[in-house]
Amino acid sequence: TKAHVAVLTISDRASQGVYEDESGPRVLSVLKEYIRTECDFELKCIPDEQKLIEEEIERFAREKGSALVVTTGGTGPAPRDVTPEAIERVCGKLLPGFGESMRAASLAEGVPTAILSRQTAGVCHQSLVVTLPGKPAAVRTCLNAVFPAIPYCIHLIGGPKIEGNPDVVQVFWPKPKK
């Protein structure tokens, strides 16, 4: 069976059709570039409702057995931005290094508001959950910063082997012991 990769856009306005979801499709496009392994990809858009975010991540992790769940949106300081709170509720382990790396990459690109973003990552069952900001322009910057560690992390938590596309991204795998 193919690995399942889910992209979850979290946006009140995009979920209501006020504007088109650009972030989710951008995440999907970048992941398809980076992942060489054949995967089943799924994209869903929901409002900024903590309980709904928790339910969707749980559904992807439990029912779909997603190797990777990438969210986009809801990571800022505004009252409706509740993605990190949802991640903390459903993930048994948090991986703060992901958020630190993404913020550092955005700051290095000259985005001073990167310090306002609360993106993070965690493990929900055997799924790696990574939260990205909702700005389409931030997607590649943030994924560039963390994707090299994603396949190995999925392996460490018992997920399927996912190979990166070496023409696009250099994925980390430890050297075999001699």
Side-chain angles (χ1 to χ4, degrees), residues 54-168:
E54 292 169 11
E55 288 169 357
E56 282 303 320
I57 291 170
E58 279 278 348
R59 186 179 70 81
F60 284 134
R62 271 189 204 266
E63 292 174 27
K64 299 277 186 163
S66 301
L68 176 64
V69 179
V70 179
T71 71
T72 175
T75 60
R80 296 278 301 154
D81 292 332
V82 294
T83 302
E85 287 77 10
I87 296 301
E88 288 172 17
R89 293 275 313 241
V90 298
C91 290
K93 287 187 179 178
L94 295 179
L95 304 168
F98 279 80
E100 294 160 8
S101 294
M102 290 186 275
R103 282 185 290 280
S106 294
L107 283 167
E109 282 197 356
V111 181
T113 54
I115 61 171
L116 301 178
S117 188
R118 302 177 307 127
Q119 71 254 42
T120 189
V123 179
C124 180
H125 304 289
Q126 287 185 302
S127 300
L128 174 61
V129 182
V130 179
T131 65
L132 301 182
K135 289 182 68 96
V139 167
R140 188 173 294 275
T141 298
C142 291
L143 283 174
N144 279 345
V146 298
F147 191 84
I150 285 177
Y152 185 52
C153 183
I154 291 169
H155 167 75
L156 288 173
I157 63 175
K161 179 155 187 171
I162 291 183
E163 293 186 38
N165 177 350
D167 297 335
V168 184

